[in-house]
Amino acid sequence: MNYLIDRFGRKITYIRFSVTPRCNFNCIYCSSHISEEAKSKEFGKEDIAFLFRIVSGLGIEKVRITGGEPLLRKDIIDIVQSASINKNINEIVLTTNGSLLRQFAQSLKDVELTRVNISLDTLRREVFEKITQRDFFEKVMDGISASINVGLTPLKINTVLMKGINEEDIIPIAELSLKYPVIVRFIELMPVGNNSFWKDHYMSFKKALEIIKRKYELSIGTGTKGEVADYYKIVGSEGKIGFITPVSQHFCKTCNRIRITATGKIYPCLFSKEYVDIWDVVKTKREDEVIKLIKKSVEIKPAAHGAIEKDDKQFIKNMKELGG
Ligand code: SAM
């Protein structure tokens, strides 16, 4: 196998593919800005299938399909299937806001999607509307139960921690892991677009952990291979609680991923300003050139991103194009 190994000896086995920057939510922490280029072009399903085939020959084992909202793509089932037919790709995960999951859950399972991650930052309807600027709370809850029912499990729930907005949700969301076999992951807020929202609302995972520990005894749990979260279990619970800590304790040393956008840019790091453009070579199906450029993106992967808390230049320009 022609593996992808960067200058620091990290083996790249995981691709995050943002299949569209379009989204039916307008979350307050995610940038609403989409570049003119991203509004006018998007890889077709054949381009994406071509790329999945190539990366599976380069040692990629895990694919995450993200966005924007990936379920807005009419051809999403074909896209997932085009990943699952590659035998080296053994984990295909979709990250979604859940609002369209009920209608897609069974078909996604049928084409061998491994599981879904659902973003849910609150269990309070009115706070949900404030965060997402949409009245889709019931649809998301419905999507969660549909994906559990068809077996898109273990289901992971991603909750962005926001001081002054959803602290009261930390306990109820953590308690989901007590009642159901779900994995709840609290994510530290990252600066997107401009830093002002982040400065006002960032809270470290330690604060959330403290809040949970005040009410529950926690034991240390384990994650699956290559995961970015630290895991705990409320004693006696079915599920788990994880913390993803890109700000207070970055996990760059073990980073095994690159990101591809729907406009053909490969970003070696979520905070990279540098990228490699593969649009033309994918569109003209020049396989050798595509491989060369993928390798180049791995060569320029930085050792680590800078310290977010200390450096105003460390922010993500456009989350929806990059896919988180
Ligand atoms: N639409 C899908 C969804 O809602 O999950 C996929 C795209 S979304 C950009 C992917 C992930 O990025 C979500 O879990 C979301 O919560 C997370 N995210 C977006 N902005 C963030 C921020 N400023 N800080 C931390 N996580 C963020």
Side-chain angles (χ1 to χ4, degrees):
M1 176 80 66
N2 195 0
Y3 288 113
L4 297 168
I5 299 177
D6 77 2
R7 292 174 292 153
F8 308 97
R10 293 171 299 192
K11 190 166 155 194
I12 307 303
T13 55
Y14 174 17
I15 293 259
R16 296 180 64 102
F17 208 129
S18 171
V19 294
T20 180
R22 291 174 283 127
C23 193
N24 56 344
F25 281 22
N26 192 17
C27 299
I28 48 177
Y29 52 78
C30 197
S31 167
S32 56
H33 169 80
I34 299 178
S35 68
E36 286 309 310
E37 185 186 18
K39 281 182 201 157
S40 63
K41 69 185 204 193
E42 204 164 275
F43 272 148
K45 64 179 180 185
E46 303 78 16
D47 306 318
I48 297 173
F50 174 66
L51 272 167
F52 284 151
R53 185 173 61 72
I54 291 178
V55 298
S56 82
L58 295 171
I60 295 300
E61 296 165 0
K62 174 175 176 181
V63 166
R64 175 174 309 277
I65 297 172
T66 177
E69 175 47 45
L71 296 182
L72 285 180
R73 278 198 68 139
K74 303 262 181 297
D75 51 7
I76 191 64
I77 301 301
D78 295 338
I79 290 175
V80 172
Q81 188 163 34
S82 72
S84 66
I85 57 172
N86 294 287
K87 67 176 186 337
N88 295 330
I89 298 176
N90 53 40
E91 197 179 352
I92 307 161
V93 187
L94 184 117
T95 298
T96 171
N97 61 35
S99 62
L100 299 166
L101 251 184
R102 168 154 297 282
Q103 66 209 65
F104 283 110
Q106 187 60 58
S107 316
L108 289 167
K109 181 71 183 170
D110 293 345
V111 291
E112 294 179 19
L113 183 74
T114 315
R115 55 183 180 77
V116 286
N117 285 8
I118 300 176
S119 304
L120 179 68
D121 304 312
T122 176
L123 292 176
R124 292 172 290 165
R125 204 176 190 290
E126 68 288 358
V127 180
F128 179 92
E129 280 190 46
K130 186 176 160 195
I131 294 172
T132 63
Q133 306 187 63
R134 295 291 182 269
D135 177 17
F136 288 161
F137 183 69
E138 275 74 28
K139 282 196 164 76
V140 175
M141 295 320 238
D142 220 24
I144 291 177
S145 48
S147 35
I148 292 175
N149 288 342
V150 304
L152 287 171
T153 50
L155 184 88
K156 291 189 182 173
I157 292 181
N158 287 342
T159 302
V160 177
L161 292 165
M162 287 170 281
K163 186 174 72 188
I165 296 180
N166 66 352
E167 286 147 302
E168 280 175 48
D169 291 286
I170 292 171
I171 291 289
I173 289 181
E175 284 171 342
L176 291 177
S177 75
L178 197 55
K179 296 180 200 139
Y180 309 100
V182 298
I183 301 171
V184 170
R185 301 185 317 165
F186 292 102
I187 308 176
E188 286 179 344
L189 181 68
M190 294 181 279
V192 174
N194 69 59
N195 293 9
S196 65
F197 182 82
W198 180 77
K199 282 184 176 144
D200 290 343
H201 298 290
Y202 169 73
M203 66 185 274
S204 146
F205 86 95
K206 286 187 186 138
K207 184 83 198 297
L209 183 57
E210 224 177 84
I211 291 173
I212 301 169
K213 275 184 170 166
R214 253 183 255 144
K215 179 154 183 194
Y216 290 107
E217 189 186 338
L218 296 179
S219 61
I220 305 279
T222 48
T224 47
K225 190 176 142 241
E227 272 203 297
V228 293
D230 288 330
Y231 283 102
Y232 297 83
K233 262 175 105 67
I234 297 180
V235 173
S237 69
E238 287 201 60
K240 285 191 267 191
I241 300 171
F243 295 93
I244 302 182
T245 59
V247 179
S248 68
Q249 295 177 2
H250 69 65
F251 31 82
C252 305
K253 251 193 185 150
T254 55
C255 184
N256 60 348
R257 68 207 59 192
I258 53 175
R259 293 171 161 79
I260 307 184
T261 72
T263 56
K265 296 184 172 52
I266 309 183
Y267 283 86
C269 167
L270 187 54
F271 291 89
S272 286
K273 305 279 181 273
E274 263 191 301
Y275 60 82
V276 170
D277 198 326
I278 55 169
W279 178 265
D280 287 343
V281 291
V282 170
K283 281 292 178 187
T284 48
K285 303 286 177 287
R286 282 180 277 160
E287 189 162 337
D288 289 349
E289 291 299 311
V290 176
I291 293 174
K292 243 190 236 166
L293 290 178
I294 293 173
K295 287 186 169 167
K296 187 173 168 204
S297 76
V298 171
E299 269 164 36
I300 64 168
K301 191 171 167 64
H305 59 73
I308 296 167
E309 282 169 302
K310 298 196 180 95
D311 181 357
D312 269 8
K313 292 194 193 77
Q314 298 291 330
F315 65 90
I316 300 158
K317 194 166 159 225
N318 194 340
M319 191 61 120
K320 287 177 184 154
E321 284 176 48
L322 273 163

